[in-house]
Amino acid sequence: MSSKRDSKAAHIRHIMETEGEAVGTNTRGFNAGRYESVAKLEDYEALKEEARAIKADAIERLPELVEELTETVAENGGTVYVADDAADANQYIAEVCAENEADRLVKSKSMTSEEIEVNERLERDGVDVVETDLGEWVLQVADEAPSHIVAPAIHKSRAAIADLFNEQFDPETELETAEELTSFARERLGELIQDADVGMTGANFVTADSGTMALVTSEGNARKTVAVPETQVAVAGVEKIVPSVEDLQPFVELIGRSGTGQDITSYVSLLTPPVDSPTVDFDDPDTPIAEGDTDREFHLVLIDNGRMAMREDEDLRETLYCIRCSACSNTCANFQSVGGHAFGGETYSGGIATGWEAGVHGLDSAAAFNDLCTGCSRCVEACPVGIDIPWINTVVRDRINTEDDPPVSFLVDGLTPDAETSGPGLQKRLFGNFELLAKLGSTFAPLSNWVANAGPVSRALEAAAGVAHERDLPEFQRTTFREWFEAREAVPPVDPDRKVVLYPDLYTNYMQVDRGKAAVRALEALDVEVLVPSVPGAGRAPLSQGMIDTARDKAERVAATLGPYVDAGYDVVVVEPSDLAMFRGDYERLLPPESFEPLAENSYEILEYVYGLLANGADADALNVTDGETVAYHSHCQQRTMGLEEYSTAVLDSCGYDVTTSDVECCGMAGSFGYKEQYYELAMDVGSNLEDQLRDADCDHVIASGTSCTDQIGDLLGEEPTHVIELVAPDGGNA
Amino acid sequence: MRTIQTQTKDDEGFTMSGKDVALYDQFASEARSYGVELTEASPGAVADAIADAIEPPAIGTPLPWDDVELPDCVETNPTPADVEGAVTGVTGASLAIADYGSVVLEMTAAGSEPVSLFNDLHVAVLRESDLVPDMAAAFEWFGERARESRGSAIVATGPSATADMGALVQGAHGPEAVEVIVVS
Ligand code: SF4
């Protein structure tokens, strides 16, 4: 177990050292470009909704669309072949090549063709397969796998490509600049395309009404691949079908913006094959092309390979909406550090790869990297078709857990009383059962803090459960937030404006007690009645470990406890953003609507609530007002996805603070992720960007909203930041 | 050459002698942002404008409109050898999309696809009346055509480009420069 974690850590370290820099620069550039490009759209959200609705409808009607498309393509003079799996598809394509006596097949970029590994199959038959996308060609020459679904050679620097070409091709003058490399490749590939017998493309979309396929490209190689040879083979997953040509519009507007941050790529080919363009026969140089052959052959190979089963699988189904734009890779803090060679399976990479790999290659392939999704949720708003990518990761994690043998360990029974019927390993169960850990820790504090962080115990925890010994474990407080609240002698407001249940999340209750106290002071100062009842943990910790049954159990208990308060007119205020994200988002999947909806509608993040009170006439002077003190603020990832960051900055602003915000997607800690031995270095690498920004801001205060961010920033800066509410709450000493 | 200046901030623009100036300006500024050069010419002056724009040798496909013609210096029935030897390819554009700066190039049996693709410079000839405001309008137009005639088209925006060699390079497999002659 431990050596498995060691080798995983070593693999990640190696990738970060060799590829991290190139991957980081490129993905962060794409991600920044995405923000800029989508901001130019008049109504980005509406366009995304339209795109999602088209996909939802298409997947719903898929069998019917496959039939319609098959007829349409036949009308057009082409052939559709629906392949059950990779072998079936490859066999068909090999036969097409054999019938055409093809010596060479030129290809434009297609992930689906990588999925079925058609190159290897054709090469066995002696067909010369040439990738013409420059990035794919670099990889073909280098014999490497793609590290990104859109920009496959993203992990290679210009210098590395120059070295590769100079060594491999020994050109007359050494190649150096990107221009030289490009024109060398263009020449060479141009010649290979000229006498190709078959052109193979993928397809971003195919329309059932006209048999038109859209190819989103920039280099022009896909156009040449189609224009020159007489025979075209297109390989596409069945999920690429949309009903009509007009349906392409939102996707054409979203795909480049979402992926590489381009408003539109150079070429969007809208091909209705067999295309009307005459072939260009370079072996017959003097016959005008207008007299050339227009009797073209076209084969559309639609790949099932597990997709129809994914369609029947309620939790994996939305994976089929994916248009493979790569936004979920680029926006992912972990992906930015390691790229697809660590954060990827047999074919696909990035957040959604878990769904694809589980569906087309099986759980084992997904298991190899699924842990790298921390559930930070930043990809959800970036995804042009609104897929809940973290949920797919959670579900697959749960399935992987169930496949694993239950661990045999004395610790398990005591520390892991979960509802899991079988399987998650000890590390997952330890972190997943955080609630019990916190209770015990608090009961025995400060002894438990001292023991857990002491050398031998810290090492033992690492060996048994993979808790990184570099991390100080969270410090439990002897007096919990609730105990403090019950014992205090405060007089509640006489005629309160509003009534609130302040949710004592595990972190606030057992560890970050001061932020709970500050929340109470702030709310009461604004004339709000506050109650802090005993409520179970929200289930975030087990959910993040893929322990869905345990999380559902918690959710039911939370809803049962808070429901009556909501019915009685109380608002629920939450300090920990990841728990609010449960109430507002994840609970929808865990609870029946009648339990989920009232709780979701009446729950607020603490600063969101304070903002609402101020906006409704409460006086900011009741809070801790300053005159221009500076604040560096890192908002929590899930808080940002819920669109709540601005409430914190607005309240800080109302209180007279001068705020600088970080723009990194995630702090790197992401719940328990950064505590895990095998991911510690990655988490710190991710965090280093945040560290730079916070240090550069050079402010009077550093503040954060989430517990993990607080811990991570504490480790990065050597000093723990406070929660926003602690800064703006009126001073109350420690009462 | 362009003489009319926009004088309004009104989003809908205004029309002067049949021109939607705001639409044209939007197209021009978007296209220029990709490095595309634009030249305006009346129908009678198009041939001269094309002759000025091209780098010889040039090949082309016949323009589909009665009132405009290609200059004599453009080979309009090119062979594969001409395609290889030419520097410039001239074709018509069926449509242009103002808010993207894109031109829509329909594939023709005369070979507009290879002619617009293989050479360093692509000169696209566009009628100003074929300018539409946005992608939705473009797909409305193309959807009808695709269902009826099962044709193919390329939405082309700027020259071909790649970032695969470690930096952005214009001119990958396709043209490295694009010029649009707008017939007004
Ligand atoms: S899941 Fe969404 S964001 Fe990720 S590649 Fe697919 S469409 Fe793009």
Side-chain angles (χ1 to χ4, degrees), chain A residues 149 321-328 352 379 382-385 387 389:
Chain A
I149 58 173
Y321 298 2
C322 172
I323 62 170
R324 303 195 179 159
C325 70
S326 81
C328 57
I352 195 61
C379 52
C383 176
V385 285
I387 302 174
I389 300 157

Side-chain angles (χ1 to χ4, degrees), chain B:
Chain B
M1 291 291 116
R2 185 158 183 77
T3 50
I4 301 167
Q5 296 296 317
T6 313
Q7 301 157 3
T8 175
K9 291 195 177 71
D10 180 355
D11 278 342
E12 278 152 34
F14 71 107
T15 303
M16 190 180 276
S17 51
K19 290 161 66 85
D20 187 337
V21 175
L23 202 61
Y24 179 85
D25 280 353
Q26 189 186 17
F27 171 70
S29 99
E30 289 298 330
R32 282 196 191 102
S33 75
Y34 292 97
V36 173
E37 276 189 48
L38 288 111
T39 304
E40 269 197 287
S42 63
V46 166
D48 283 348
I50 294 171
D52 280 348
I54 61 173
E55 289 271 331
I59 54 175
T61 48
L63 299 175
W65 312 295
D66 291 342
D67 53 348
V68 282
E69 272 174 20
L70 290 174
D72 291 342
C73 53
V74 176
E75 170 55 61
T76 50
N77 194 21
T79 62
D82 294 328
V83 169
E84 267 213 276
V87 176
T88 306
V90 187
T91 69
S94 306
L95 204 78
I97 307 165
D99 67 354
Y100 281 87
S102 314
V103 291
V104 180
L105 311 170
E106 279 184 292
M107 284 191 190
T108 65
S112 64
E113 178 63 358
V115 168
S116 63
L117 177 62
F118 276 82
N119 308 113
D120 287 343
L121 171 65
H122 174 220
V123 175
V125 184
L126 170 76
R127 290 191 308 182
E128 191 170 351
S129 52
D130 290 327
L131 198 51
V132 296
D134 52 27
M135 204 53 88
F139 271 97
E140 230 165 79
W141 171 87
F142 183 71
E144 283 296 312
R145 281 174 98 84
R147 276 183 298 271
E148 260 164 41
S149 61
R150 305 293 159 101
S152 303
I154 311 290
V155 180
T157 314
S160 73
T162 184
D164 284 347
M165 296 295 169
L168 183 71
V169 177
Q170 296 212 316
H173 288 277
E176 62 180 48
V178 174
E179 193 161 337
V180 179
I181 311 281
V182 183
V183 188
S184 52

Side-chain angles (χ1 to χ4, degrees), chain A residues 10 27 45 92 107 131 157 164-165 173 229 298 416 480 547 579 582 637 664 668 672 679:
Chain A
T27 47
E45 294 303 324
Y92 181 83
K107 274 183 76 191
E131 297 282 354
S157 66
L164 174 74
F165 281 11
T173 44
F298 173 63
T416 56
T480 66
M547 295 155 67
D579 282 356
M582 293 289 288
C637 46
V664 299
S672 57
Y679 302 125

Side-chain angles (χ1 to χ4, degrees), chain A residues 73 194 238 300 304 318 346 375 441 462 584 695:
Chain A
V73 170
Q194 282 197 2
V238 279
L300 173 59
D304 178 345
E318 284 196 11
E346 281 179 39
E462 179 168 290
R584 283 199 186 166
R695 287 196 195 279

Side-chain angles (χ1 to χ4, degrees), chain A residues 325-344:
Chain A
C325 70
S326 81
C328 57
S329 298
N330 305 328
T331 195
C332 172
N334 278 348
F335 192 93
Q336 291 173 358
S337 277
V338 297
H341 287 162
F343 198 152

